[in-house]
Amino acid sequence: MAKTTQQHSAAQTVTPALRQWIIDQAEAGFAPDVVLKSMQASGWSEDVAIEAMETTLSAHLAATQARKHLPAAVAVPEPALADSPLLLDAGDRMVQVLSVMRHPRLVVFGNLLSEQECAELVELARPRLSRSLTVATQTGGEEVHVDRTSDGMFFTRGESPLVQRIEARIARLLHWPEQNGEGLQVLNYQPGAQYKPHYDYFDPAEPGTPTILKRGGQRVATLIMYLSAPSSGGATIFPDVQLEVAPQRGNAVFFSYDRPHPRTQTLHGGAPVLAGEKWIATKWLREHEFK
């Protein structure tokens, strides 16, 4: 008899439908012993029923707890992509839509900047370059970090007619107020320079984050514009979704993150430049007016 019971148990498969039924019974308020008796009455062996209940309810509890601690979603910049357009009107320029992902929310744009605009940004930025800094999440300030080996500088918002024109174009393209953008940052990557994978939002668990958020709330989106392409290397990489975006001059990659959490799948980095040099301009967008 024992052998027959073991064979019967081995033949019973716990399906997704059964797991959902167990969750439904638990959420309806039925006690575990009641659910167990119901399963046995339906032909499930006791050992299989107990294991199915324990594993299903443990996993369901863990998922419920994770959702409770998940930051609330907020509004994010959103290009007008509902009709799958090939081109978007950015006011003074028609911008190509080259590639779109839904999760993460990611768009590769073509022809966002002209060759002349790219060259002008590089020349204006060149004499003002210094070692790039990262946000110091422990204090809310800035610091040199070994993961970031580029040189960079910031234009203040609206600093020049060129910067004003590009910022207005971005605001129209992404449907987000100009005043909610940080100053345009220009970065230069020489051979060997890189930026290891990271998130652009500010980690709520870090002690310096409340200070950072006073200037405009969380970052909710990033736009990386390519000003010059290296001969080799330098792609923008998204490890979570195994995507590489080539640094083609004049193009850009946009991605948004509706909450400061890894589930946005916006982990990204700048792969090492192998030959030549790479120039990019980055625009970070905040929830509120950036001051």
Side-chain angles (χ1 to χ4, degrees):
M1 178 65 71
K3 183 177 181 181
T4 302
T5 301
Q6 290 174 355
Q7 290 175 339
H8 180 62
S9 299
Q12 293 186 318
T13 302
V14 179
T15 63
L18 175 63
R19 294 191 185 280
Q20 185 59 53
W21 179 84
I22 293 172
I23 292 171
D24 292 342
Q25 303 314 299
E27 291 182 341
F30 291 103
D33 59 330
V34 175
V35 179
L36 177 60
K37 289 179 181 178
S38 179
M39 291 181 67
Q40 288 180 287
S42 298
W44 291 93
S45 65
E46 183 177 10
D47 56 341
V48 172
I50 290 174
E51 182 180 2
M53 287 177 57
E54 288 181 345
T55 57
T56 298
L57 295 178
S58 294
H60 180 61
L61 178 61
T64 300
Q65 292 298 321
R67 285 194 294 270
K68 287 182 179 179
H69 293 91
L70 190 66
V74 299
V76 297
E78 183 62 45
L81 300 173
D83 297 328
S84 301
L86 298 178
L87 297 170
L88 289 175
D89 185 358
D92 64 339
R93 192 174 186 83
M94 298 301 293
V95 175
Q96 300 167 337
V97 179
L98 301 181
S99 182
V100 176
M101 290 187 71
R102 299 299 175 185
H103 189 70
R105 189 48 157 161
L106 184 152
V107 185
V108 179
F109 293 116
N111 196 42
L112 178 58
L113 300 177
S114 69
E115 289 195 9
Q116 181 178 350
E117 288 171 333
C118 291
E120 287 182 11
L121 283 174
V122 168
E123 291 311 307
L124 289 171
R126 192 186 298 276
R128 296 164 59 176
L129 294 177
S130 61
R131 174 67 186 271
S132 296
L133 303 176
T134 62
V135 174
T137 53
Q138 293 291 316
T139 64
E142 294 180 315
E143 62 184 359
V144 172
H145 198 287
V146 294
D147 287 350
R148 192 178 201 186
T149 53
S150 61
D151 293 319
M153 55 78 64
F154 275 95
F155 291 106
T156 58
R157 198 169 58 231
E159 177 177 324
S160 69
L162 173 62
V163 171
Q164 289 174 8
R165 184 169 71 248
I166 294 172
E167 289 176 335
R169 187 181 304 158
I170 293 170
R172 177 156 178 170
L173 179 67
L174 302 180
H175 297 274
W176 205 247
E178 286 185 52
Q179 63 268 25
N180 289 21
E182 297 182 25
L184 197 64
Q185 184 188 47
V186 174
L187 297 172
N188 175 234
Y189 290 82
Q190 294 289 329
Q194 64 177 315
Y195 195 179
K196 293 182 179 179
H198 59 282
Y199 297 101
D200 281 352
Y201 57 72
F202 306 115
D203 188 345
E206 294 290 349
T209 295
T211 299
I212 299 169
L213 298 185
K214 290 179 181 178
R215 298 195 66 187
Q218 267 288 0
R219 285 177 176 167
V220 290
T222 301
L223 181 70
I224 300 172
M225 296 165 279
Y226 303 108
L227 307 181
S228 75
S231 304
S232 180
T236 303
I237 58 173
F238 294 83
D240 287 348
V241 291
Q242 300 181 21
L243 176 69
E244 292 189 5
V245 179
Q248 183 67 43
R249 187 179 194 181
N251 289 2
V253 58
F254 162 81
F255 52 98
S256 62
Y257 25 97
D258 62 358
R259 64 192 84 206
H261 194 275
R263 69 169 287 171
T264 59
Q265 294 189 305
T266 53
L267 184 69
H268 66 286
V273 171
L274 303 179
E277 62 177 341
K278 179 178 76 171
W279 288 82
I280 64 172
T282 301
K283 187 72 170 179
W284 287 293
L285 303 175
R286 297 285 191 107
E287 288 180 275
H288 314 299
E289 182 179 358
F290 180 71
K291 300 176 181 179

mmCIF file of all heavy atoms in Angstrom, residues 97-124:
data_model
loop_
_atom_site.group_PDB
_atom_site.id
_atom_site.type_symbol
_atom_site.label_atom_id
_atom_site.label_comp_id
_atom_site.label_asym_id
_atom_site.label_seq_id
_atom_site.Cartn_x
_atom_site.Cartn_y
_atom_site.Cartn_z
ATOM 1 N N VAL A 97 12.290 58.077 -35.005
ATOM 2 C CA VAL A 97 12.116 57.042 -33.981
ATOM 3 C C VAL A 97 12.720 55.760 -34.550
ATOM 4 O O VAL A 97 12.170 55.150 -35.465
ATOM 5 C CB VAL A 97 10.622 56.829 -33.642
ATOM 6 C CG1 VAL A 97 10.475 55.729 -32.593
ATOM 7 C CG2 VAL A 97 9.999 58.132 -33.154
ATOM 8 N N LEU A 98 13.869 55.360 -34.017
ATOM 9 C CA LEU A 98 14.603 54.238 -34.587
ATOM 10 C C LEU A 98 14.291 52.916 -33.900
ATOM 11 O O LEU A 98 14.299 51.863 -34.536
ATOM 12 C CB LEU A 98 16.114 54.503 -34.505
ATOM 13 C CG LEU A 98 16.606 55.759 -35.228
ATOM 14 C CD1 LEU A 98 18.114 55.882 -35.081
ATOM 15 C CD2 LEU A 98 16.210 55.736 -36.693
ATOM 16 N N SER A 99 14.024 52.960 -32.607
ATOM 17 C CA SER A 99 13.764 51.732 -31.866
ATOM 18 C C SER A 99 13.004 52.058 -30.586
ATOM 19 O O SER A 99 13.237 53.110 -29.975
ATOM 20 C CB SER A 99 15.085 51.033 -31.522
ATOM 21 O OG SER A 99 14.871 49.818 -30.854
ATOM 22 N N VAL A 100 12.090 51.162 -30.191
ATOM 23 C CA VAL A 100 11.265 51.395 -28.999
ATOM 24 C C VAL A 100 11.181 50.108 -28.182
ATOM 25 O O VAL A 100 10.983 49.022 -28.731
ATOM 26 C CB VAL A 100 9.831 51.833 -29.384
ATOM 27 C CG1 VAL A 100 8.959 51.972 -28.144
ATOM 28 C CG2 VAL A 100 9.861 53.135 -30.164
ATOM 29 N N MET A 101 11.333 50.231 -26.873
ATOM 30 C CA MET A 101 11.085 49.132 -25.944
ATOM 31 C C MET A 101 10.022 49.579 -24.958
ATOM 32 O O MET A 101 9.959 50.763 -24.595
ATOM 33 C CB MET A 101 12.356 48.734 -25.182
ATOM 34 C CG MET A 101 13.405 48.056 -26.022
ATOM 35 S SD MET A 101 14.789 47.427 -25.015
ATOM 36 C CE MET A 101 13.985 46.058 -24.173
ATOM 37 N N ARG A 102 9.201 48.639 -24.514
ATOM 38 C CA ARG A 102 8.140 48.959 -23.550
ATOM 39 C C ARG A 102 8.622 48.831 -22.123
ATOM 40 O O ARG A 102 8.240 49.609 -21.261
ATOM 41 C CB ARG A 102 6.938 48.037 -23.792
ATOM 42 C CG ARG A 102 6.329 48.184 -25.189
ATOM 43 C CD ARG A 102 5.818 49.595 -25.431
ATOM 44 N NE ARG A 102 5.337 49.761 -26.806
ATOM 45 C CZ ARG A 102 4.922 50.909 -27.308
ATOM 46 N NH1 ARG A 102 4.928 51.991 -26.562
ATOM 47 N NH2 ARG A 102 4.514 50.994 -28.565
ATOM 48 N N HIS A 103 9.411 47.792 -21.840
ATOM 49 C CA HIS A 103 9.936 47.621 -20.483
ATOM 50 C C HIS A 103 11.353 47.080 -20.571
ATOM 51 O O HIS A 103 11.539 45.941 -20.974
ATOM 52 C CB HIS A 103 9.057 46.668 -19.677
ATOM 53 C CG HIS A 103 9.430 46.638 -18.224
ATOM 54 N ND1 HIS A 103 9.196 47.692 -17.382
ATOM 55 C CD2 HIS A 103 10.037 45.702 -17.470
ATOM 56 C CE1 HIS A 103 9.624 47.394 -16.169
ATOM 57 N NE2 HIS A 103 10.139 46.186 -16.206
ATOM 58 N N PRO A 104 12.332 47.923 -20.247
ATOM 59 C CA PRO A 104 12.186 49.297 -19.775
ATOM 60 C C PRO A 104 11.639 50.215 -20.870
ATOM 61 O O PRO A 104 11.726 49.876 -22.058
ATOM 62 C CB PRO A 104 13.619 49.696 -19.412
ATOM 63 C CG PRO A 104 14.469 48.868 -20.324
ATOM 64 C CD PRO A 104 13.760 47.545 -20.414
ATOM 65 N N ARG A 105 11.107 51.355 -20.446
ATOM 66 C CA ARG A 105 10.607 52.338 -21.412
ATOM 67 C C ARG A 105 11.831 53.011 -22.020
ATOM 68 O O ARG A 105 12.488 53.839 -21.391
ATOM 69 C CB ARG A 105 9.709 53.360 -20.713
ATOM 70 C CG ARG A 105 8.974 54.280 -21.690
ATOM 71 C CD ARG A 105 8.342 53.487 -22.792
ATOM 72 N NE ARG A 105 7.231 54.142 -23.444
ATOM 73 C CZ ARG A 105 6.806 53.789 -24.625
ATOM 74 N NH1 ARG A 105 7.418 52.810 -25.296
ATOM 75 N NH2 ARG A 105 5.756 54.377 -25.172
ATOM 76 N N LEU A 106 12.141 52.633 -23.264
ATOM 77 C CA LEU A 106 13.397 53.060 -23.881
ATOM 78 C C LEU A 106 13.143 53.366 -25.352
ATOM 79 O O LEU A 106 12.471 52.595 -26.036
ATOM 80 C CB LEU A 106 14.437 51.950 -23.723
ATOM 81 C CG LEU A 106 15.858 52.196 -24.204
ATOM 82 C CD1 LEU A 106 16.834 51.345 -23.367
ATOM 83 C CD2 LEU A 106 16.025 51.860 -25.683
ATOM 84 N N VAL A 107 13.694 54.479 -25.816
ATOM 85 C CA VAL A 107 13.535 54.889 -27.208
ATOM 86 C C VAL A 107 14.887 55.341 -27.746
ATOM 87 O O VAL A 107 15.595 56.111 -27.083
ATOM 88 C CB VAL A 107 12.521 56.045 -27.361
ATOM 89 C CG1 VAL A 107 12.289 56.347 -28.844
ATOM 90 C CG2 VAL A 107 11.214 55.739 -26.656
ATOM 91 N N VAL A 108 15.235 54.857 -28.927
ATOM 92 C CA VAL A 108 16.425 55.357 -29.623
ATOM 93 C C VAL A 108 15.955 56.347 -30.682
ATOM 94 O O VAL A 108 15.130 56.006 -31.537
ATOM 95 C CB VAL A 108 17.225 54.212 -30.271
ATOM 96 C CG1 VAL A 108 18.437 54.785 -31.016
ATOM 97 C CG2 VAL A 108 17.673 53.201 -29.217
ATOM 98 N N PHE A 109 16.459 57.569 -30.596
ATOM 99 C CA PHE A 109 16.093 58.629 -31.539
ATOM 100 C C PHE A 109 17.218 58.852 -32.541
ATOM 101 O O PHE A 109 18.402 58.754 -32.205
ATOM 102 C CB PHE A 109 15.843 59.948 -30.806
ATOM 103 C CG PHE A 109 14.635 59.948 -29.913
ATOM 104 C CD1 PHE A 109 14.771 60.103 -28.538
ATOM 105 C CD2 PHE A 109 13.357 59.812 -30.439
ATOM 106 C CE1 PHE A 109 13.660 60.114 -27.711
ATOM 107 C CE2 PHE A 109 12.245 59.822 -29.629
ATOM 108 C CZ PHE A 109 12.391 59.971 -28.256
ATOM 109 N N GLY A 110 16.849 59.193 -33.775
ATOM 110 C CA GLY A 110 17.818 59.581 -34.787
ATOM 111 C C GLY A 110 17.638 61.039 -35.157
ATOM 112 O O GLY A 110 16.533 61.578 -35.092
ATOM 113 N N ASN A 111 18.763 61.701 -35.496
ATOM 114 C CA ASN A 111 18.698 63.081 -35.983
ATOM 115 C C ASN A 111 18.167 64.055 -34.931
ATOM 116 O O ASN A 111 17.546 65.057 -35.255
ATOM 117 C CB ASN A 111 17.817 63.150 -37.241
ATOM 118 C CG ASN A 111 18.002 64.433 -38.025
ATOM 119 O OD1 ASN A 111 19.127 64.906 -38.200
ATOM 120 N ND2 ASN A 111 16.909 65.010 -38.490
ATOM 121 N N LEU A 112 18.445 63.776 -33.664
ATOM 122 C CA LEU A 112 18.018 64.699 -32.617
ATOM 123 C C LEU A 112 18.859 65.971 -32.634
ATOM 124 O O LEU A 112 18.349 67.076 -32.420
ATOM 125 C CB LEU A 112 18.113 64.031 -31.243
ATOM 126 C CG LEU A 112 17.732 64.893 -30.044
ATOM 127 C CD1 LEU A 112 16.314 65.434 -30.152
ATOM 128 C CD2 LEU A 112 17.906 64.109 -28.739
ATOM 129 N N LEU A 113 20.148 65.813 -32.900
ATOM 130 C CA LEU A 113 21.052 66.950 -33.014
ATOM 131 C C LEU A 113 21.685 66.959 -34.400
ATOM 132 O O LEU A 113 21.962 65.908 -34.973
ATOM 133 C CB LEU A 113 22.169 66.869 -31.957
ATOM 134 C CG LEU A 113 21.750 66.855 -30.483
ATOM 135 C CD1 LEU A 113 22.985 66.689 -29.606
ATOM 136 C CD2 LEU A 113 20.995 68.117 -30.110
ATOM 137 N N SER A 114 21.943 68.151 -34.912
ATOM 138 C CA SER A 114 22.642 68.266 -36.188
ATOM 139 C C SER A 114 24.147 68.096 -35.966
ATOM 140 O O SER A 114 24.638 68.202 -34.837
ATOM 141 C CB SER A 114 22.379 69.628 -36.824
ATOM 142 O OG SER A 114 23.021 70.655 -36.065
ATOM 143 N N GLU A 115 24.882 67.834 -37.038
ATOM 144 C CA GLU A 115 26.338 67.707 -36.913
ATOM 145 C C GLU A 115 26.948 69.005 -36.394
ATOM 146 O O GLU A 115 27.885 68.980 -35.585
ATOM 147 C CB GLU A 115 26.949 67.334 -38.263
ATOM 148 C CG GLU A 115 26.645 65.916 -38.700
ATOM 149 C CD GLU A 115 27.533 65.466 -39.836
ATOM 150 O OE1 GLU A 115 28.498 66.193 -40.168
ATOM 151 O OE2 GLU A 115 27.268 64.384 -40.386
ATOM 152 N N GLN A 116 26.410 70.141 -36.835
ATOM 153 C CA GLN A 116 26.935 71.427 -36.376
ATOM 154 C C GLN A 116 26.680 71.620 -34.885
ATOM 155 O O GLN A 116 27.556 72.087 -34.160
ATOM 156 C CB GLN A 116 26.295 72.576 -37.159
ATOM 157 C CG GLN A 116 26.828 73.956 -36.751
ATOM 158 C CD GLN A 116 26.217 75.086 -37.568
ATOM 159 O OE1 GLN A 116 25.530 74.853 -38.560
ATOM 160 N NE2 GLN A 116 26.469 76.318 -37.151
ATOM 161 N N GLU A 117 25.497 71.255 -34.402
ATOM 162 C CA GLU A 117 25.198 71.381 -32.975
ATOM 163 C C GLU A 117 26.107 70.486 -32.145
ATOM 164 O O GLU A 117 26.594 70.894 -31.075
ATOM 165 C CB GLU A 117 23.732 71.033 -32.716
ATOM 166 C CG GLU A 117 22.757 72.091 -33.225
ATOM 167 C CD GLU A 117 21.312 71.645 -33.169
ATOM 168 O OE1 GLU A 117 21.055 70.416 -33.236
ATOM 169 O OE2 GLU A 117 20.428 72.508 -33.073
ATOM 170 N N CYS A 118 26.353 69.274 -32.630
ATOM 171 C CA CYS A 118 27.264 68.367 -31.924
ATOM 172 C C CYS A 118 28.656 68.988 -31.814
ATOM 173 O O CYS A 118 29.269 68.980 -30.736
ATOM 174 C CB CYS A 118 27.347 67.028 -32.653
ATOM 175 S SG CYS A 118 25.834 66.028 -32.588
ATOM 176 N N ALA A 119 29.145 69.505 -32.935
ATOM 177 C CA ALA A 119 30.489 70.096 -32.948
ATOM 178 C C ALA A 119 30.564 71.323 -32.035
ATOM 179 O O ALA A 119 31.551 71.518 -31.315
ATOM 180 C CB ALA A 119 30.877 70.471 -34.378
ATOM 181 N N GLU A 120 29.521 72.151 -32.033
ATOM 182 C CA GLU A 120 29.524 73.355 -31.197
ATOM 183 C C GLU A 120 29.516 72.997 -29.710
ATOM 184 O O GLU A 120 30.213 73.632 -28.910
ATOM 185 C CB GLU A 120 28.315 74.226 -31.532
ATOM 186 C CG GLU A 120 28.422 74.940 -32.872
ATOM 187 C CD GLU A 120 27.220 75.839 -33.145
ATOM 188 O OE1 GLU A 120 26.423 76.060 -32.214
ATOM 189 O OE2 GLU A 120 27.077 76.293 -34.292
ATOM 190 N N LEU A 121 28.730 71.996 -29.333
ATOM 191 C CA LEU A 121 28.709 71.592 -27.927
ATOM 192 C C LEU A 121 30.080 71.085 -27.484
ATOM 193 O O LEU A 121 30.545 71.405 -26.373
ATOM 194 C CB LEU A 121 27.652 70.500 -27.713
ATOM 195 C CG LEU A 121 26.202 70.950 -27.660
ATOM 196 C CD1 LEU A 121 25.269 69.738 -27.592
ATOM 197 C CD2 LEU A 121 25.946 71.863 -26.459
ATOM 198 N N VAL A 122 30.728 70.304 -28.339
ATOM 199 C CA VAL A 122 32.051 69.785 -27.999
ATOM 200 C C VAL A 122 33.044 70.929 -27.817
ATOM 201 O O VAL A 122 33.803 70.967 -26.833
ATOM 202 C CB VAL A 122 32.547 68.811 -29.086
ATOM 203 C CG1 VAL A 122 34.034 68.495 -28.905
ATOM 204 C CG2 VAL A 122 31.733 67.522 -29.060
ATOM 205 N N GLU A 123 33.044 71.879 -28.726
ATOM 206 C CA GLU A 123 34.011 72.972 -28.650
ATOM 207 C C GLU A 123 33.747 73.893 -27.453
ATOM 208 O O GLU A 123 34.689 74.402 -26.837
ATOM 209 C CB GLU A 123 34.005 73.777 -29.958
ATOM 210 C CG GLU A 123 34.568 72.994 -31.131
ATOM 211 C CD GLU A 123 35.903 72.342 -30.813
ATOM 212 O OE1 GLU A 123 36.829 73.059 -30.346
ATOM 213 O OE2 GLU A 123 36.029 71.119 -30.996
ATOM 214 N N LEU A 124 32.483 74.113 -27.138
ATOM 215 C CA LEU A 124 32.168 74.934 -25.966
ATOM 216 C C LEU A 124 32.533 74.217 -24.663
ATOM 217 O O LEU A 124 32.921 74.855 -23.674
ATOM 218 C CB LEU A 124 30.681 75.290 -25.964
ATOM 219 C CG LEU A 124 30.210 76.287 -27.016
ATOM 220 C CD1 LEU A 124 28.688 76.376 -27.021
ATOM 221 C CD2 LEU A 124 30.810 77.664 -26.743
#
